Amino acid sequence: MGKITLRNVAKRFGEVAVIPDINLDIEDGEFVVFVGPSGCGKSTLLRLIAGLEDVSDGTIEIDGVNATDLPPAKRGLAMVFQSYALYPHMTVRKNIAFPLKMAGLDPAEIERKVDGAAKVLNLSNYLERRPGQLSGGQRQRVAIGRAIVREPKAFLFDEPLSNLDAALRVNMRIEISELHQTLKTTMIYVTHDQVEAMTMADKIVVLNAGRIEQVGSPLELYRRPANLFVAGFIGSPKMNFIEGSEAKLHNAATIGIRPEHIDLSTSAGTWKGTVGMSEHLGSDTFMRVTVEGLGMLTVRASGEVSVQQGDTVWLTPQDGKLHHFDANGKSLA
Amino acid sequence: MSTQSTRLAARLMVAPSVILLFIWMIVPLAMTLYFSFRLYRLLSPERTGWVGFNNYIWFLNSPDFWLAIWNTLALVGGVLVITVVLGTLVALLIDQPVKGQGVLRILVIAPFFVMPPVAASIWENLFMHPQNGLFAAISRGFGAQPILFLEQHPMPSVIAIVAWEWLPFATLILLTALQSLSSEQIEAAEMDGASAFSRFRYIILPHLTRAITAVILIQTIFLLGIFGEIYTTTQGGPGSASTTLPYMIFKQAIVAKDIGRAAAGGIIAVILANIVAVFLMRGLGKNLDA
Ligand SMILES: Nc1ncnc2c1ncn2[C@@H]1O[C@H](COP(=O)(O)OP(=O)(O)O)[C@@H](O)[C@H]1O
Ligand SMILES: [Mg+2]
C-alpha cells in the first residue's frame, strides 16, 4: 500500500512561503512526477512528504494514517537523493544492507535481500567495492538498491538522473520505469525536465512558485493544458504564443500552437513568413519563421524539407490544434 | 610536472630549502649525539673526554627513568583520550544551529590562546589551590576536605591542565570535519531508520576518522615535549611523581648542569618519539589514505 494525501500543506522558511497551500492525492501504485522550473519548491514538497522538513500547516496522510508528525523512519518511505548520499566508507553491500541492519533483521535475511536487490540492479559483481570506485550510473543503482530492500510504501526520487550523462539518463529512465512495472509500488519522482516527466509518469503534477498549476496524465497535459504556464512548460520545443489582433480573431487574449501542429508550404497557407535559423536534427528540422504581425514562430518540419534561410514560406495551423487562453492565462475550453 | 626536464627543474628549485632544512635538523642532532658520549659538566669544565655509553647507562639505571617514561606516555595518552572524546562531543554540540554561534565558537577556542605557563598558573592558583581555589571552595561547600590536587594527584592534575589547553585544537579540527559531512548523508541515514546514536556510530564517526587521526598525530608531537606546565605547577614532584622525560632532561641540563647526561636523555627522547611514531603510523596511517 502507498496512498499519500496532502491536505492544505504549507511550508514557510521564515517569512517566505515557499509552498502556500497544496492539496494532492497520490493513489497506491501510481508513478507521480513533480515537474516545474528550478526553485519552484519541488524538493521542498518531497522533503515534506519524506518528513525531512516539518510542515508549517496542513496534514500529510500515508495509507489513511496521519503522518504529519511522524519522524522520517516511521513513515515507511524510501528516498533516492540527487547526490545519491551513499555512505562513502561502506562497501556497496553494507550500503544496501544499512536500512535492514537498522531495522534489526538477522544477518542471513539481510544477506538474502541484498543479494536479491543486487541481482535485480546488476550490481552483483560490485558488492565489495566502495561507492568511490563506481561510475555514476552504478552509484545511482546502489542508491536505488538501498531504497528497494526496505520494501517501502513509496519511493521518493529527487532529480535522480541530473548527474548522469545524456545516454545513461535515457537508460536509467527506462530502468526506473521497469522497476515500477515490477514492484508496482507508489513512486514520486521530482524533476525539472519535462521530457522525463512525459516519458515516465502516470500522473504529472506541474508546480510553479509552490503552487500546483495542473495535475493530469502526460497526454492530458499535452492536449489540454489548463493555462499558459503548463502550455509553455510541457512539450518540446515550446508552444508558440500569439497575442494581439490575430488572437482577437479567435476571441482569446492569447492563442497557442505547438511547432508540430503547423504545416509548412512554399506556395500557400494562412500566415506568410520568412525563414530564419534552422536546427537540423536529421529526423526533424526545427525552423524559426518570422511572420509579420505575429512575431517569431517555431515550426517542426520533416528532416527532408529543403528551404533556406531567407526563403518565404507559408504556415497553416492544423485544424483543432489551436489553444485559446484568456487575459489571466487560463485556458478557454 | 611530468616531463623529465620539468621534474629536474622542480628538484633544483626545492633543493635550497630542503638542504637548509636538513642542516637545520642534522646539526643539533649531531651535536647532541656527540655530547651524549662525552663527559661535559658545566661545574667542572676542566674534566673532559669520551665516556662511551656511561651517560646512557646512568640514565637507564636512574631510579626515575622508567617512572618518567611511564609519566610521559600517560600524559600523551591521557590528553589524547580526553581531547578526542570531549573534542568530538563539543564539536557536535557547537555544530548545532544556536543563537550567538559565532561568540560561542570563539569562547570554545579561547583556551588555545592562553600561554602554557599562564594556563598552568591559572589552574594552580585559581582552581586547584587548597585554600583559594574554586575546587576547594566547592569541596568545602559540600562539607568535604579540599582535595590536594597537585600534591596527591600530580599526574592527573597535569594531564587535566594540558587537556584543557589542547581541547580547543581538537574541537576546531573536528568541527571543520563535521561541517564537511553532507547533510544528505545524515538525512539518508535518518530515512533508513538510524537512531541518533546509530547515525553517530555509522556515519559521523567514520567520517571523522581522518580528522581524529590528524589530531592524534599532531598533538602527540607537541605532547611528547610538554614541559612548561610541569615546571610551573609541580616541578616534577612531589618527589619525582610527575617527572616526565623532558623534565628529567631539564633537571640534568639546568639543575645538575651535566650536559653529557642531558644529551643522552635527549637521544633517548628522540628514540621514544620514533617508537611512538612507528606505532601510530602502523595503527593509524592507513586512515590518512584518501
Ligand atoms: N532550508 C531552507 N531555508 C530557506 N529557504 C529554502 C530552504 N530550502 C529551500 N528554500 C527555498 O525554497 C525554494 C524552493 O526550493 P526547492 O524546493 O529546493 O526548489 P526545487 O527543488 O524546485 O528547485 C527556493 O527558493 C529555496 O531558496
Ligand atoms: Mg530540487
Side-chain angles (χ1 to χ4, degrees), chain B residues 69-200:
Chain B
I69 295 277
W70 162 247
N71 279 343
T72 307
L73 293 177
L75 179 65
V76 172
V79 173
L80 282 179
V81 169
I82 295 172
T83 52
V84 168
V85 172
L86 281 186
T88 308
L89 294 178
V90 173
L92 283 173
L93 214 58
I94 61 176
D95 192 34
Q96 307 297 319
V98 288
K99 245 196 184 142
Q101 199 171 41
V103 178
L104 190 69
R105 286 183 185 172
I106 291 173
L107 284 178
V108 169
I109 309 306
F112 205 48
F113 296 115
V114 180
M115 286 158 242
V118 177
S121 295
I122 291 174
W123 275 84
E124 181 181 11
N125 296 310
L126 298 184
F127 291 108
M128 295 174 166
H129 198 280
Q131 276 95 45
N132 312 327
L134 180 67
F135 297 151
I138 294 173
S139 290
R140 280 195 295 270
F142 284 105
Q145 280 294 314
I147 302 167
L148 301 171
F149 286 99
L150 293 170
E151 288 73 21
Q152 288 173 346
H153 312 286
M155 250 349 258
S157 301
V158 170
I159 290 173
I161 294 171
V162 177
W164 178 82
E165 286 178 86
W166 281 91
L167 182 60
F169 173 77
T171 305
L172 199 61
I173 302 267
L174 294 173
L175 179 65
T176 20
L178 210 53
Q179 286 168 339
S180 73
L181 177 60
S182 98
S183 62
E184 286 201 340
Q185 260 182 51
I186 294 292
E187 287 175 347
E190 227 174 300
M191 298 228 41
D192 282 344
S195 62
F197 177 75
S198 295
R199 291 201 291 276
F200 175 74

Side-chain angles (χ1 to χ4, degrees), chain A residues 171-189:
Chain A
N171 284 341
M172 284 306 299
R173 215 157 74 193
I174 295 169
E175 277 185 40
I176 293 176
S177 294
E178 282 173 354
L179 196 67
H180 181 243
Q181 297 280 316
T182 321
L183 300 174
K184 299 196 167 42
T185 310
T186 312
M187 290 189 178
I188 305 178
Y189 186 104

